[in-house]
Amino acid sequence: MDVLKKVPVREQEPCVRAHNFEEVCLGYNREEAMEEAARCINCKNAQCIKGCPVAIDIPGFIEKIKEGNMEEAYQIISHSSALPAVCGRVCPQESQCEGKCIRGIKGEPISIGKLERFAADWAGEQGIRPEGAKEKKDKKVAVIGSGPAGLTCAGDLARMGYDVTIFEALHEAGGVLVYGIPEFRLPKEKVVRREIENVKALGVKIETDVVIGKSTTIDELMEEEGYDAVFIGSGAGLPKFMGIPGEQANGVFSANEYLTRSNLMKSFEEDARTPIMHGKKVAVVGGGNVAMDAARTALRLGSEVHIVYRRSEEELPARVEEVHHAKEEGIIFDLLTNPVEILSDENGWVSGIKCIRMELGEPDESGRRRPVAVPGSEFVIDADMVIMSLGTSPNPLISSTTQGLEVNRWKCIVADEEHGKTTKEGVYAGGDAVTGAATVILAMGAGKAGAKGIDEYLSGK
């Protein structure tokens, strides 16, 4: 075994997976996981833990895999994470835990995410559940939203013994995990629903089809229904657009709508009640993970797909793995390219997207070099469908129906980062509702912070 290199991970061949919605990465088997775990040098001052937003004891669980004790490995992970099988698949490990791995200084870092995925999948197949609370507390907590922030907060509070109910606006629990991330990256039945059942096994109740701000309000939950504290993990589901001419043309989608209809409503199926448009040539505007998900979904539905992004490949915010997979599958990248107008035919349907070439200037406030238009470089990309993937912001429904809840100029809820405390007593918040669109693992970290803050509040610390 070459200790400087990762044990390779099996994947579907690009020419095969580009035509199906089955999971791309096949993960490790037991022997491969133990071989990869054996590469870990079990650092005394483990930097990988510092790189994990939920502070998993990474050397601890890897040591158990190395020994072949998979159940103990899973329990160590689940003590810190409510969604290990999810995180093992979608976390940006390369910039977090694996990015700080000491083994990576002179070789390749440990495949921490793939080992976490293996332990969680193994436990799921064996029917093993995370350990719950030993004692119950006489306090009720409401959690708004069943995405990664809400599930994490609810799971942690349940382990502490609180009576927790999650209120979910959609008909199915999971938030962005079910409506936003495609099946080929995150299987719903095998992974998401199984991990939601694990949270419910801790004692968490989930009520779906409850729109806070319409069905009931936070004030009513606290004043009339006896909830002692509330955590808001409602995410950021309001899509952004560019404001360029032609955006109202038929065939222009937000990535949010496109992925929700595909992932949650299965609109690509022949007998779907709300069928989705299948473009022949699709342009996806944006360069994040959501843009990659939308592009790779359109590809699987038979489209020629272009990613249109105004910066260079070095600045793409999507995970390196997602960009690599998209390229392997045949998606075309039009980089240093910015849309200026969406063209349409006489019937109002998209016929193309007019763009301008860009070049990189001085760094902006984010540290990335600012894209600058090249005069006279306009050109047209043929397209009959455009998907805008420019980020999302929180829906203002909750903040506008809750007295004393402060928001900032982006309509994000103002909350203390360390504890999730908002300007309204007893109300805590975290995840995309506070930060705007970010990653699953950062939302989970915020959920943990909110659970800690609520526990301190309710126990009078």
Side-chain angles (χ1 to χ4, degrees):
M1 181 180 77
D2 184 353
V3 296
L4 297 181
K5 290 189 174 294
K6 294 179 177 180
V7 174
V9 181
R10 291 163 291 115
E11 295 179 342
Q12 280 197 74
E13 289 296 325
C15 60
V16 176
R17 69 183 191 236
H19 302 285
N20 67 56
F21 279 83
E22 295 170 15
E23 190 169 16
V24 169
C25 180
L26 304 178
Y28 286 143
N29 60 29
R30 183 185 182 93
E31 291 71 27
E32 291 165 339
M34 291 179 71
E35 185 179 346
E36 179 63 19
R39 296 180 58 234
C40 179
I41 57 178
N42 201 8
C43 305
K44 292 290 185 286
N45 183 23
Q47 297 301 304
C48 54
I49 298 177
K50 297 176 183 177
C52 176
V54 295
I56 292 170
D57 178 6
I58 293 168
F61 93 76
I62 291 178
E63 183 66 25
K64 294 302 178 184
I65 291 178
K66 190 188 305 184
E67 296 170 2
N69 189 344
M70 307 312 174
E71 182 171 356
E72 187 60 28
Y74 170 70
Q75 294 298 353
I76 289 171
I77 299 169
S78 64
H79 182 74
S80 301
S81 173
L83 306 169
V86 169
C87 289
R89 287 167 165 83
V90 303
C91 277
Q93 290 101 5
E94 64 276 4
S95 61
Q96 294 179 162
C97 53
E98 292 181 21
K100 293 187 179 295
C101 176
I102 300 299
R103 174 60 81 189
I105 294 174
K106 291 186 177 179
E108 294 180 346
I110 305 300
S111 289
I112 297 169
K114 300 297 188 292
L115 291 176
E116 179 183 19
R117 165 187 166 154
F118 167 77
D121 285 357
W122 181 91
E125 289 161 6
Q126 304 302 316
I128 294 168
R129 303 283 196 190
E131 296 168 347
K134 292 180 174 60
E135 295 181 11
K136 299 292 185 182
K137 294 175 179 168
D138 188 24
K139 297 283 186 181
K140 286 174 59 178
V141 181
V143 173
I144 300 170
S146 64
L151 289 170
T152 298
C153 183
D156 279 13
L157 288 168
R159 282 193 194 91
M160 296 174 192
Y162 291 101
D163 180 355
V164 185
T165 301
I166 295 176
F167 296 98
E168 167 56 49
L170 296 178
H171 62 279
E172 185 171 342
V176 70
L177 305 176
V178 292
Y179 72 71
I181 304 177
E183 189 83 12
F184 55 81
R185 273 220 296 144
L186 188 63
K188 305 302 171 255
E189 197 63 47
K190 175 185 172 184
V191 177
V192 179
R193 293 188 183 101
R194 183 187 284 171
E195 300 223 299
I196 290 171
E197 288 303 313
N198 285 345
V199 172
K200 290 167 70 174
L202 295 170
V204 175
K205 298 178 286 293
I206 300 179
E207 293 188 21
T208 56
D209 298 310
V210 180
V211 181
I212 301 299
K214 290 280 189 182
S215 309
T216 187
T217 65
I218 288 176
D219 294 326
E220 289 169 347
L221 287 174
M222 300 183 79
E223 294 167 12
E224 298 175 17
E225 297 192 37
Y227 285 93
D228 301 288
V230 174
F231 177 80
I232 303 170
S234 50
L238 199 61
K240 297 177 182 177
F241 288 87
M242 292 186 72
I244 59 175
E247 272 188 321
Q248 302 305 316
N250 297 322
V252 177
F253 290 81
S254 71
N256 216 41
E257 178 193 355
Y258 184 74
L259 289 170
T260 298
R261 291 176 66 183
S262 174
N263 299 331
L264 184 64
M265 302 170 74
K266 309 299 181 192
S267 296
F268 55 83
E269 295 178 349
E270 287 186 12
D271 59 348
R273 293 174 64 186
T274 55
I276 199 165
M277 178 179 174
H278 293 200
K280 291 180 181 176
K281 291 188 176 181
V282 176
V284 178
V285 181
N289 289 327
V290 175
M292 300 303 145
D293 286 343
R296 294 173 70 197
T297 296
L299 180 85
R300 282 159 170 78
L301 297 180
S303 306
E304 176 189 299
V305 186
H306 291 246
I307 291 276
V308 181
Y309 181 62
R310 62 183 185 151
R311 289 182 163 98
S312 71
E313 183 169 346
E314 190 176 325
E315 285 80 29
L316 278 169
R319 290 186 67 191
V320 172
E321 182 178 55
E322 301 308 316
V323 175
H324 171 68
H325 282 159
K327 284 183 173 181
E328 280 190 328
E329 292 166 5
I331 287 169
I332 301 159
F333 282 72
D334 292 298
L335 303 173
L336 289 169
T337 301
N338 201 40
V340 294
E341 182 181 358
I342 295 173
L343 309 176
S344 55
D345 61 20
E346 64 276 8
N347 296 315
W349 286 92
V350 171
S351 62
I353 181 166
K354 185 178 180 182
C355 301
I356 191 166
R357 300 288 184 194
M358 309 294 283
E359 59 185 12
L360 295 180
E362 295 300 313
D364 61 16
E365 60 277 2
S366 71
R368 295 185 296 175
R369 293 172 65 194
R370 187 187 301 274
V372 180
V374 177
S377 64
E378 290 89 349
F379 69 104
V380 173
I381 297 173
D382 288 336
D384 58 359
M385 180 174 165
V386 175
I387 301 172
M388 291 292 185
S389 181
L390 307 168
T392 52
S393 59
N395 190 313
L397 180 61
I398 289 176
S399 58
S400 65
T401 57
T402 307
Q403 293 184 0
L405 192 65
E406 186 180 333
V407 296
N408 61 22
R409 62 193 178 101
W410 298 285
K411 304 300 181 185
C412 294
I413 296 168
V414 175
D416 164 54
E417 186 177 339
E418 186 177 353
H419 300 99
K421 182 175 170 49
T422 71
T423 53
K424 183 177 178 67
E425 185 174 352
V427 177
Y428 293 71
D432 293 2
V434 172
T435 61
T439 62
V440 167
I441 190 63
L442 289 176
M444 290 177 64
K448 287 189 78 66
K452 179 184 175 187
I454 288 171
D455 178 50
E456 291 179 358
Y457 169 71
L458 294 180
S459 57
K461 295 178 184 175

